[in-house]
Amino acid sequence: LSFQSRFYELAVGMEINMFKFRTNNFRYGIPPYFFYQLALFYHNPKANYQGNLVPLRDLGTEGQGTSLSDRKPYSKIQLGIPVGIGLKFLIAKRLVFSIEYGFRFTFTDYLDDVSGQYVDPDALAAQNGPLAAELSDRSITPVGQNGTNAGLNRGKSETKDFYGVFDAMLTLQLGKDPS
């Protein structure tokens, strides 16, 4: 199985500076900080199929939304909890460059369109079409009985997905200098 997805995220949160930092004073060095946030993000996993990117959610590759599964199609809009660390660099008065690394813990197991079990490909093709069946199991050699992987684990639904992000930011302080 393979996928790719673009993520669009809107987050609010808190930043905890480990040392004093002012945007008008170079003597505070390069202070580290921690952050934690609450995020709303959009994702839409797609697979490369014959040179085209095909959205996987609408295909129901695990039988979501059909009689083959008790699961409904997953939402493309999800909640996440970003946490991470960063460093600030004062490059000019009121101008700060920051780098940070963070993890985004999510409440979904479908960032990659994989969570539950393989379903019978013939039954999936009958309900969602042949493309859904073909993209649900791209194994070269199925290891299950009857020449399919039906009933075997496709993913591990007990754990939720997460992803990491490396950011670089440029911040300009507007208004009067902090006292």
Side-chain angles (χ1 to χ4, degrees), residues 1-3 45-47 54-66 68-69 71-74 109-110 112-125 127-138 149-152 154-155:
L1 297 173
S2 67
F3 83 102
K46 299 176 182 179
V54 177
L56 296 168
R57 179 200 176 265
D58 299 336
L59 295 175
T61 57
E62 292 183 352
Q64 306 98 314
T66 71
L68 302 174
S69 172
R71 295 182 182 199
K72 294 179 180 172
Y74 54 87
D109 193 34
Y110 281 107
D112 52 5
D113 191 64
V114 175
S115 180
Q117 295 183 331
Y118 290 101
V119 294
D120 179 272
D122 294 329
L124 185 61
Q127 292 192 40
N128 284 7
L131 184 59
E134 190 164 342
L135 293 178
S136 72
D137 186 353
R138 299 181 92 176
N149 288 322
L152 298 177
R154 189 170 185 248

Side-chain angles (χ1 to χ4, degrees), residues 23 93-95 171-178:
T23 60
K93 193 172 185 179
R94 299 176 167 221
L95 187 62
T171 306
L172 175 64
Q173 179 192 355
L174 303 174
K176 71 178 201 175
D177 284 336

Side-chain angles (χ1 to χ4, degrees), residues 2-176:
S2 67
F3 83 102
Q4 67 182 47
S5 186
R6 290 183 184 211
F7 290 82
Y8 299 94
E9 177 184 276
L10 178 64
V12 295
M14 298 290 296
E15 183 179 291
I16 301 167
N17 290 293
M18 300 308 296
F19 302 103
K20 188 181 276 190
F21 181 77
R22 298 258 171 96
T23 60
N24 65 349
N25 194 327
F26 283 91
R27 74 180 178 126
Y28 292 111
I30 303 172
Y33 63 93
F34 296 98
F35 66 87
Y36 59 95
Q37 302 169 337
L38 182 62
L40 191 64
F41 68 91
Y42 171 87
H43 72 108
N44 188 14
K46 299 176 182 179
N48 188 331
Y49 179 73
Q50 297 180 348
N52 296 312
L53 289 177
V54 177
L56 296 168
R57 179 200 176 265
D58 299 336
L59 295 175
T61 57
E62 292 183 352
Q64 306 98 314
T66 71
S67 64
L68 302 174
S69 172
D70 59 352
R71 295 182 182 199
K72 294 179 180 172
Y74 54 87
S75 176
K76 295 179 198 176
I77 299 173
Q78 298 284 339
L79 283 174
I81 300 177
V83 296
I85 59 173
L87 293 172
K88 294 181 179 182
F89 304 87
L90 185 60
I91 56 177
K93 193 172 185 179
R94 299 176 167 221
L95 187 62
V96 179
F97 177 73
S98 305
I99 56 171
E100 64 184 32
Y101 183 75
F103 277 101
R104 271 57 172 168
F105 297 97
T106 72
F107 296 95
T108 182
D109 193 34
Y110 281 107
L111 292 183
D112 52 5
D113 191 64
V114 175
S115 180
Q117 295 183 331
Y118 290 101
V119 294
D120 179 272
D122 294 329
L124 185 61
Q127 292 192 40
N128 284 7
L131 184 59
E134 190 164 342
L135 293 178
S136 72
D137 186 353
R138 299 181 92 176
S139 302
I140 295 171
T141 306
V143 296
Q145 297 177 8
N146 303 326
T148 74
N149 288 322
L152 298 177
N153 284 342
R154 189 170 185 248
K156 189 175 179 183
S157 61
E158 297 83 29
T159 58
K160 303 301 179 202
D161 291 338
F162 65 92
Y163 60 102
V165 175
F166 178 77
D167 292 320
M169 294 177 287
L170 195 58
T171 306
L172 175 64
Q173 179 192 355
L174 303 174
K176 71 178 201 175

